[in-house]
Amino acid sequence: MSHIHENRKKLVARVRRISGQVASLERAIKGEAECGAVLQQLAAVRGAVNGLILQVMEGHLRSHVADSGNTKQQDELLPVLAVLRSYLK
């Protein structure tokens, strides 16, 4: 998965941010935070994970599904990526 290795620093940074969000969520639950605050943190974690999924999936599609040297194939990916982005929002 060359796209993973090429973007390793960005992906690891993103995972660390997600880890921080999950740790904050755990503290909120242990600290008996209001359910609204917990739900808000859960939504933030879900959004962060969806963003990570989209980033890895886009790299996979561009690197392994469509030939990176083939402009037509790369252009055909654009509507697929747009649907994925709207679904993972």
Side-chain angles (χ1 to χ4, degrees), residues 6-7 12 22 25 28-29 59 73:
E6 290 172 6
N7 297 312
V12 169
V22 170
L25 176 61
I29 292 170
Q73 286 182 353

Side-chain angles (χ1 to χ4, degrees), residues 48-59:
V49 169
N50 284 348
L52 176 62
I53 291 169
L54 181 62
Q55 184 177 0
V56 173
M57 192 177 298
E58 183 172 347

Side-chain angles (χ1 to χ4, degrees), residues 18-87:
I18 292 169
S19 177
Q21 287 178 308
V22 170
S24 176
L25 176 61
E26 182 180 352
R27 286 190 302 272
I29 292 170
K30 284 181 179 179
E32 299 179 15
E34 295 288 327
C35 60
V38 170
L39 287 168
Q40 187 174 14
Q41 287 185 335
L42 283 167
V45 169
R46 181 185 61 194
V49 169
N50 284 348
L52 176 62
I53 291 169
L54 181 62
Q55 184 177 0
V56 173
M57 192 177 298
E58 183 172 347
H60 175 75
L61 291 171
R62 290 189 184 279
S63 298
H64 301 292
V65 176
D67 181 8
S68 61
N70 187 327
T71 307
K72 184 176 188 272
Q73 286 182 353
Q74 291 293 320
D75 289 344
E76 289 174 352
L77 273 181
L78 295 177
V80 173
L81 292 172
V83 169
L84 287 172
R85 282 186 196 103
S86 68
Y87 178 74

